Amino acid sequence: MKIKEIAEVLNAEVLTATDLEREVHTACGSDMMSDVLAYVKDQAVLVTGLNNPQVVRTASMMDMVCIVFVRGKKPDDSIIQLAQQLDIAILATDIPMFPACGILYAKGLRGGN
């Protein structure tokens, strides 16, 4: 699935100028960055409601290429700029986390190891 397709199926706003043609195959959903660091491997997309710079830094450390902020959360300009510097796509949707993850799963994204 391409990042632009994620934006379409989640009715999400694209907040960064990054390559939306990137293919992704895996995703995870979490508001606990410590869990992402401890348990997530080989994920390309992070679905979260946590809205702070640590989300972008965690995604970067885990080689993720896209963050989807759920529940109507929108990151501020400093978070968006950091994501752009790290070449991470930022999307924002009003959909809650559980349904957003379900939609992505139904469209073919899976969890990794």
Side-chain angles (χ1 to χ4, degrees):
M1 174 176 242
K2 295 180 179 181
I3 293 173
K4 72 176 185 179
E5 294 171 318
I6 293 171
E8 290 170 11
V9 299
L10 295 180
N11 194 29
E13 182 180 356
V14 178
L15 300 175
T16 54
T18 56
D19 182 10
L20 300 179
E21 294 293 323
R22 284 185 188 161
E23 283 282 339
V24 295
H25 303 283
T26 57
C28 71
S30 182
D31 285 344
M32 303 259 321
M33 294 304 102
S34 58
D35 282 353
V36 173
L37 289 169
Y39 302 111
V40 172
K41 293 189 177 30
D42 302 322
Q43 306 296 312
V45 179
L46 174 59
V47 181
T48 188
L50 187 63
N51 188 356
N52 64 43
Q54 287 73 25
V55 172
V56 177
R57 294 190 193 289
T58 300
S60 176
M61 289 174 58
M62 303 306 288
D63 296 323
M64 295 177 163
V65 298
C66 180
I67 301 169
V68 179
F69 289 94
V70 294
R71 300 190 297 264
K73 305 283 181 85
K74 287 198 179 173
D76 65 27
D77 288 340
S78 66
I79 295 171
I80 293 169
Q81 287 176 342
L82 178 60
Q84 284 194 176
Q85 290 171 2
L86 297 171
D87 200 27
I88 297 173
I90 299 287
L91 309 178
T93 183
D94 289 332
I95 299 172
M97 186 184 304
F98 185 74
C101 289
I103 291 166
L104 295 177
Y105 187 87
K107 294 293 183 178
L109 285 186
R110 297 296 182 253
N113 298 332

